[in-house]
């Protein structure tokens, strides 16, 4: 039986490599349990690919959050970078009350860098003026195409709102990491790549880093329903590599990607044989920014190229490979 998830305990924490001012450093990563994303709770259903609704609780108090911070501090080993994820917006006071937010900034004041995530509507002029200079805010722009944002992702804010928030943060000397979604539902593989490239160019003026996040099929989401009936395939790693190659040297922001579920049927994947090598290439490039690090070879690159041609010919964004699979089995 699964252990009960206690509101006064962190969902998860670990340490990993990331970058501060061009240097690779260790980062403490904290996943906090909060009352959840306001957009997912608003009756909107939330974003089509987001399964965080099931990850949040509904009875997390200020004391619980402080207990989670105590836990984080007891595990802290002096990492120069701390990343705090809340499965929503750090600046939504229904998730993180002001006193807890201020405590986080105080406790980690000597860190070179703190990263938190937020929807753009919380990043008002008044709030931004109070933020510490070692802060980076991650903005989930996903796509610069308003129609994709609204119809495919159901994001509940516009790209223009993200840009405004990004510009405001930049002007105040706060860092910005922008997340883009590679292959929102209803876009073909090629359209997904084109969308990510256009979105990165849109985000570049207000982003220090652009993280390309290939869609990963999470449980209980709208996208999972599409995937189960063969109407969606998670992107190929070749597509992620292609996007990185096309953008490399043409944007100022650092390009990065650390795909969740990479190499599985639910995550970004290739043929299975080359997935680990292709994902390592993406990871190397995320640190080096050297396009030579993206060179990988496998015979399935040809299959990917044929896949792009076939979906164009058929005018579909459905999972063509699945449709052609004679067994028609859903590989979990
Ligand atoms: S993707 Fe972000 S904004 Fe959308 S529902 Fe999930 S947590 Fe909320
Ligand atoms: Zn392969």
């Amino acid at each position: 039986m699964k252990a009960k998830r206690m509101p006064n305990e962190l969902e998860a924490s670990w340490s990993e490599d990331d970058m501060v001012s061009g240097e690779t450093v260790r980062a403490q990563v904290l996943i906090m349990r909060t009352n959840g994303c306001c957009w997912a709770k608003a009756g909107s259903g939330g974003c089509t690919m987001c399964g965080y609704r099931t990850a949040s609780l509904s009875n997390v108090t200020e004391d619980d959050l402080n207990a989670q911070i105590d836990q984080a501090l007891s595990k802290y080993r002096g990492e120069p970078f701390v990343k705090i994820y809340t499965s929503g917006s750090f600046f939504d006071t229904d998730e993180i009350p002001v006193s807890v937010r201020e405590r986080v900034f105080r406790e980690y004041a000597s860190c070179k860098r703190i990263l938190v995530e937020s929807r753009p509507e919380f990043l008002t002029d008044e709030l931004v003026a109070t933020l510490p200079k070692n802060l980076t805010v991650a903005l989930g722009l996903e796509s610069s195409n308003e129609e994709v944002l609204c119809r495919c992702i159901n994001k509940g804010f516009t790209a223009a709102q993200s840009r405004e928030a990004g510009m405001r943060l930049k002007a105040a000397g706060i860092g910005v990491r922008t997340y883009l979604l590679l292959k929102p539902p209803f876009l073909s593989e090629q359209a997904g790549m084109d969308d990510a490239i256009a979105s990165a160019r849109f985000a570049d003026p207000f982003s220090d880093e652009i993280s390309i996040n290939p869609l990963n099929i999470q449980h209980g989401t709208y996208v999972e329903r599409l995937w189960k009936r063969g109407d969606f395939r998670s992107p190929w790693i070749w597509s992620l590599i292609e996007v990185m190659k096309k953008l490399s040297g043409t944007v100022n922001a650092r390009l990065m990607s650390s795909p969740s579920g990479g190499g599985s049927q639910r995550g970004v994947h290739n043929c299975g044989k080359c997935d680990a090598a292709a994902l390592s290439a993406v990871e190397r490039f995320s640190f080096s920014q050297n396009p030579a690090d993206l060179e990988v070879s496998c015979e399935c690159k040809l299959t990917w190229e044929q896949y792009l041609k076939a979906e164009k010919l058929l005018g579909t964004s459905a999972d063509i490979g699945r449709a052609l699979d004679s067994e028609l089995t859903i590989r979990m």
Side-chain angles (χ1 to χ4, degrees):
M1 208 172 73
K2 260 191 182 172
K4 192 163 180 264
R5 294 163 65 236
M6 302 302 290
N8 60 354
E9 289 172 1
L10 289 167
E11 178 74 18
S13 70
W14 65 89
S15 183
E16 66 183 18
D17 280 346
D18 206 316
M19 292 189 100
V20 175
S21 313
E23 212 189 303
T24 303
V25 299
R26 292 303 284 171
Q28 184 187 33
V29 185
L30 308 171
I31 314 285
M32 293 186 71
R33 286 181 178 153
T34 73
N35 290 324
C37 171
C38 59
W39 178 240
K41 291 189 301 184
S44 61
C47 301
T48 52
M49 71 303 181
C50 179
Y52 290 160
R53 218 166 346 150
T54 50
S56 38
L57 303 174
S58 55
N59 51 352
V60 184
T61 65
E62 194 167 328
D63 286 348
D64 291 331
L65 293 164
N66 275 312
Q68 293 184 44
I69 303 297
D70 292 342
Q71 214 185 325
L73 292 169
S74 74
K75 295 178 174 195
Y76 182 59
R77 299 289 171 266
E79 292 89 339
F81 191 178
V82 176
K83 303 191 270 191
I84 304 165
Y85 302 118
T86 62
S87 310
S89 294
F90 186 79
F91 297 111
D92 177 354
T93 50
D94 284 341
E95 279 193 66
I96 304 286
V98 176
S99 67
V100 178
R101 176 204 302 168
E102 286 175 347
R103 181 179 174 211
V104 167
F105 292 158
R106 226 177 21 251
E107 301 280 14
Y108 287 108
S110 61
C111 274
K112 286 190 180 156
R113 192 177 184 199
I114 306 173
L115 179 137
V116 298
E117 300 174 314
S118 182
R119 286 175 62 91
E121 59 263 38
F122 297 108
L123 296 160
T124 59
D125 278 328
E126 296 70 39
L127 175 92
V128 170
T130 67
L131 299 178
K133 300 294 181 232
N134 61 347
L135 187 70
T136 294
V137 179
L139 295 173
L141 166 67
E142 320 294 8
S143 169
S144 60
N145 183 314
E146 301 290 7
E147 207 175 335
V148 169
L149 265 187
C150 175
R151 289 174 190 268
C152 304
I153 306 179
N154 189 36
K155 196 74 206 182
F157 59 70
T158 63
Q161 272 177 285
S162 279
R163 179 172 49 197
E164 233 176 78
M167 293 295 192
R168 192 172 292 138
L169 290 163
K170 272 249 141 185
I174 311 292
V176 177
R177 179 176 284 187
T178 298
Y179 297 143
L180 300 179
L181 183 66
L182 176 62
K183 204 179 174 195
F186 309 116
L187 296 193
S188 66
E189 196 80 15
Q190 183 65 59
M193 285 190 277
D194 294 345
D195 182 67
I197 291 166
S199 302
R201 300 205 194 292
F202 172 89
D204 192 37
F206 59 85
S207 306
D208 300 292
E209 294 162 310
I210 295 174
S211 176
I212 314 274
N213 301 334
L215 198 151
N216 168 43
I217 296 154
Q218 298 178 7
H219 290 277
T221 58
Y222 178 75
V223 171
E224 186 187 46
R225 290 214 298 277
L226 293 177
W227 173 70
K228 281 193 168 168
R229 63 178 199 223
D231 283 340
F232 185 81
R233 184 205 190 275
S234 304
W236 291 73
I237 309 174
W238 293 122
S239 302
L240 176 60
I241 289 178
E242 184 69 9
V243 167
M244 296 295 208
K245 280 186 177 171
K246 286 254 164 69
L247 288 170
S248 172
T250 71
V251 290
N252 292 315
R254 171 192 166 214
L255 295 166
M256 55 184 293
S257 183
S258 42
S260 312
S264 73
Q265 290 297 311
R266 285 177 177 263
V268 64
H269 64 281
N270 281 351
C271 67
K273 279 184 275 174
C274 66
D275 292 31
L279 289 168
S280 301
V282 169
E283 192 186 350
R284 273 197 307 278
F285 173 77
S286 297
F287 285 93
S288 71
Q289 302 295 286
N290 180 356
D293 282 336
L294 291 169
E295 291 311 325
V296 187
S297 65
C298 181
E299 57 208 18
C300 76
K301 190 164 184 193
L302 190 62
T303 313
W304 168 71
E305 286 165 358
Q306 286 165 344
Y307 190 100
L308 297 181
K309 280 188 198 145
E311 63 175 10
K312 191 171 175 203
L313 210 67
L314 295 168
T316 180
S317 61
D319 185 348
I320 302 172
R322 181 108 56 94
L324 294 178
D325 183 346
S326 56
E327 288 166 34
L328 284 176
T329 47
I330 298 171
R331 289 155 289 179
M332 309 290 274

